[in-house]
Every structure is written in structure tokens, then in C-alpha cells.
Amino acid sequence: MKNSSINKKNKKNERMTCSEATTLDGRWELPIQIHHPTSSLASNSPIILICGWAGVGSVDWGAIPKILAAKTNRNVLTYDARGLGNATLLSPLDSGLESLSLEIMASDTLDIIDSYYNAYLGTSAKDNIGFKREFCVGGASMGGMVAQVLAHSLHGSQHTGMRLNAAWTTRKQIYSISSLGLISSAPVRKYNNTGSYPMIDCSIPHNHFLASFDGFHRNEDQITCTKRFFEALGDAFLSRPGRTKMRDKLISSFLSTRAGFKNGMSLEWIFAQRNVLMQESHGLWYPNLDHIPEVVNFDDEPLHLSALNIPSIILHGKDDRVIPVHHAKKLHHVMNSTQNSSPIRTKTLRVNSELALIEDCDHLCWITNGHDLTNVLGKFWSR
């Protein structure tokens, strides 16, 4: 795995430095942004933030990484996912588009941490077996689902529903997640098979938020398409009186940043991520549904998050209609419950997670309620 050195020049005065990491499969080089605390050196393990569907880490977190770095005295890492932003394709004949999965995204996230530690320690992971490289993970929406799979890849077992294969054996010996922050996310279901998600042919209702980018594919007006996207995700907040300027600024910023990216709008990768979401949701799309259906239904088991014993916090907007708040409550319950092996499946509680529900907040809480988000996460990651 190729890793570039992190630029450490003038670190005392620079609040952000940049680097890149090559993915484990060798297909992509992902740009990394490292936000430093105000002190000269971070004294704690780093935080890595994972964007949700169609998100680009270098721009879409806004000021949150910088604020969290200052509040927690940790380096905060963001990155552009494969196919998006300024990620560079190294394997033109095989981009991995059709094999995209939550597992691949989890692996890419660990590649960022691997690159970070290799540059700062000056040694590779294989030279540090027995030395745990700890880090904190924060994931928003789909990024929270990636974070759950990553946690299981490093701390889980077959019993707890680990979804990644034996290639992670060495990684499990080296890396450790010290805490999780799950933002506007949902539980990930447990299954025993591994591999990619086959592309599915499913008609999504035009009013569903996952259909927001279909207009770009049809060459419709870009401002109208982007407005539709943000209104689908954050209408409860953005439609209120006095919020027109904020909405217009979001639309303008979204389009201008994508126009400047090496990969442009990158619709094919946005649709590939959408396919992963649809597969996780069993493809249950109904004519009038405007949110994600139950990710874990009566026939499924969620990943056994409580068995991992990772301190976690779940943040969710009470007005979220994309991933309704009951997903957060279910996720909180799953993370704090454990089942014994007796025929009578009784449940006991263990306190692994905290639940923070944000008033007057919908799905885009990292945009519309950044102050609340950084206050809660800042305290959590300062412990």
C-alpha cells in the first residue's frame, strides 16, 4: 500500500495540512485533509470524519473539523471518497465502481488512518503489530453506517456479525477504535455473506430524496436539481422564514465546488453509493415513501454493536424525515443491549452509548445545527 508523507512544515502555525492515501486495492488515491488543534501538537488520538451519500469530505463538513480540532486537541481527518471530489483513479481499466459496498468504504477509511500513522510514526503497519493505533470515528448518515461496519471489522467476531474477510486479520491486531460518533444514521443489518452489491434495477419515486440527482442525469437545470436535493434532506429547516439566503448559499456552494473538482459531479459514483443504500434497505421502495425504510426489519438481526464495548454517542435531529428519529432510538437500544444464549432470549442492558436528540433539527444537522453538533461531539471527544 502506497502512502505519501504528511506535510508537516510550519505545523505550529498551520491549521490544516494535506496528504493522500492509496486504497488497499490499489485503484484510488484519496486526498486527506488534516485539521490541527490550536496547540502546536495534538495530544490525543485522531478523529476521522466520514461523509454521507454524495458527500465530499474536503468541503462538505464546513468548519466542523477545525472547531472539533480546537475543542478536543485532536487532529481531525477528512477525505474525498473514491470517485468523488479530487480522488485520483490509478487503475483506469478497473475503477471498482460495480463492486462498491459498505465494506469497501470501511476499508478506504482505514487506509486514511494507515497513511496518517505511517507518516507520523515513520513506520508501516506491519512493523507495528502489537502496538495499537487508536482513533475516533465520526460518521454522518451513510457515513455512520460505514463507521459501524468499520467497528465490526476491527473489534467484531463471527459471533458479533463481522462482515469483512480474513484479509483483515493483521489490521485487527494493529488498529483500535476508541470511540464512535454516529450522526443522523441508522442501524446496519447483520448478514453472513461478503462481497459487493449487485447493481439493482429499481424505480425510485421522483419525490424520494434518493432521486434528487436523477435530474442531473437528464440534463435538467442544475440549480433546480440541487434545490430539490437540499429540500429533500433539510426542508424542515431550510423552508422556514429567513432561511432563503442560507438555502441559496448551500446551492451555490454545492455547484461551485463540484465544478472545481477533478471528478466533477461524479454522477456514476453517486449512483453507486445510492445502490449500496438501496441494497441495505432491501430495495423496499414504495410509491409515496420519502425516507429510508426500516434498514433492520423483523427478519433481520442488526450488527451486535453492544458486544464491541466501544464508547459511542448517537446524534439525531428530532425532525429528521430522511432517517426518522426512531432509527436513532433503535440504534441506541441495539448498542446498549446484549442477548444471552439461553432458549429464552432475555435482554440485559449495558451502557455503551449516549443518545443526543437535537431540537428543531432535521437530517442535515452538520450543516443546519453545526453549533449543537460541535458542542456535543467536542465534549464527548474531550474526555
Side-chain angles (χ1 to χ4, degrees):
M1 173 175 166
K2 171 178 171 282
N3 293 293
S4 295
S5 296
I6 295 173
N7 175 16
K8 293 188 272 189
K9 294 188 299 181
N10 301 321
K11 184 187 288 185
K12 185 173 181 179
N13 298 316
E14 292 183 11
R15 297 293 300 278
M16 187 185 82
T17 53
C18 298
S19 182
E20 57 278 325
T22 301
T23 58
L24 190 63
D25 60 12
R27 289 169 170 158
W28 288 90
E29 186 175 76
L30 309 180
I32 311 169
Q33 305 78 42
I34 306 164
H35 303 262
H36 303 288
T38 51
S39 58
S40 58
L41 289 173
S43 62
N44 298 302
S45 57
I47 300 167
I48 187 164
L49 299 178
I50 311 173
C51 278
W53 176 54
V56 178
S58 58
V59 295
D60 290 343
W61 286 106
I64 286 175
K66 178 177 70 174
I67 296 171
L68 285 177
K71 283 179 174 287
T72 64
N73 199 36
R74 299 176 187 268
N75 284 331
V76 178
L77 283 60
T78 57
Y79 65 97
D80 294 358
R82 59 172 66 200
L84 299 176
N86 288 317
T88 301
L89 179 62
L90 302 177
S91 177
L93 298 179
D94 183 13
S95 68
L97 177 72
E98 294 187 357
S99 63
L100 190 67
S101 65
L102 290 181
E103 291 79 7
I104 292 293
M105 294 184 218
S107 177
D108 290 351
T109 303
L110 193 58
D111 292 333
I112 303 299
I113 292 295
D114 189 60
S115 176
Y116 169 86
Y117 267 113
N118 288 352
Y120 270 76
L121 297 178
T123 57
S124 66
K126 65 182 180 181
D127 298 323
N128 285 273
I129 295 178
F131 169 75
K132 285 290 186 179
R133 297 178 169 188
E134 292 190 344
F135 60 101
C136 309
V137 183
S141 193
M142 186 180 190
M145 300 170 75
V146 174
Q148 292 173 59
V149 173
L150 178 58
H152 275 271
S153 72
L154 295 178
H155 297 273
S157 64
Q158 196 63 38
H159 171 70
T160 59
M162 180 178 145
R163 295 158 52 126
L164 298 187
N165 58 36
W168 281 64
T169 302
T170 300
R171 287 180 153 190
K172 285 167 65 68
Q173 297 174 8
I174 298 170
Y175 295 99
S176 176
I177 296 175
S178 54
S179 59
L180 280 172
L182 304 177
I183 307 161
S184 303
S185 194
V188 176
R189 61 190 172 97
K190 174 184 174 182
Y191 64 76
N192 296 320
N193 64 304
T194 58
S196 62
Y197 299 84
M199 300 297 283
I200 59 176
D201 182 15
C202 179
S203 178
I204 303 175
H206 69 88
N207 62 326
H208 195 283
F209 85 97
L210 287 178
S212 302
F213 286 94
D214 289 353
F216 287 101
H217 191 65
R218 295 190 295 265
N219 294 318
E220 296 177 2
D221 178 69
Q222 290 194 349
I223 293 178
T224 301
C225 294
T226 309
K227 180 180 177 182
R228 187 182 303 137
F229 174 61
F230 281 110
E231 287 182 345
L233 293 176
D235 183 62
F237 182 90
L238 296 173
S239 64
R240 295 175 185 173
R243 303 282 163 77
T244 302
K245 287 186 178 180
M246 173 182 280
R247 184 196 64 198
D248 292 345
K249 184 178 179 181
L250 283 173
I251 293 171
S252 174
S253 175
F254 183 89
L255 290 174
S256 63
T257 53
R258 270 61 184 175
F261 287 148
K262 179 188 301 184
N263 295 305
M265 188 64 72
S266 195
L267 290 177
E268 62 177 1
W269 281 93
I270 289 176
F271 291 146
Q273 287 189 356
R274 181 176 75 177
N275 182 68
V276 174
L277 275 176
M278 292 172 68
Q279 292 285 354
E280 282 295 325
S281 305
H282 307 276
L284 298 177
W285 307 101
Y286 301 106
N288 297 315
L289 191 64
D290 64 353
H291 57 79
I292 291 182
E294 290 289 351
V295 178
V296 181
N297 65 22
F298 293 111
D299 297 323
D300 285 314
E301 277 190 273
L303 290 176
H304 293 169
L305 296 166
S306 65
L308 304 184
N309 290 322
I310 301 174
S312 306
I313 189 163
I314 300 164
L315 294 90
H316 217 94
K318 287 187 174 181
D319 299 328
D320 193 333
R321 68 188 182 95
V322 174
I323 301 180
V325 70
H326 67 261
H327 284 274
K329 294 177 180 178
K330 185 168 190 174
L331 183 56
H332 178 56
H333 176 76
V334 166
M335 297 188 79
N336 287 317
S337 66
T338 180
Q339 293 181 340
N340 61 32
S341 58
S342 66
I344 302 175
R345 300 176 67 187
T346 58
K347 293 187 178 182
T348 58
L349 290 180
R350 63 173 75 180
V351 180
N352 287 332
S353 75
E354 305 171 31
L355 178 63
L357 301 181
I358 304 175
E359 299 282 352
D360 299 320
C361 176
D362 49 30
H363 191 66
L364 294 175
C365 63
W366 57 95
I367 294 176
T368 60
N369 296 72
H371 179 73
D372 297 319
L373 189 73
T374 53
N375 276 346
V376 173
L377 289 178
K379 292 177 181 177
F380 178 70
W381 279 323
S382 294
R383 297 171 186 170

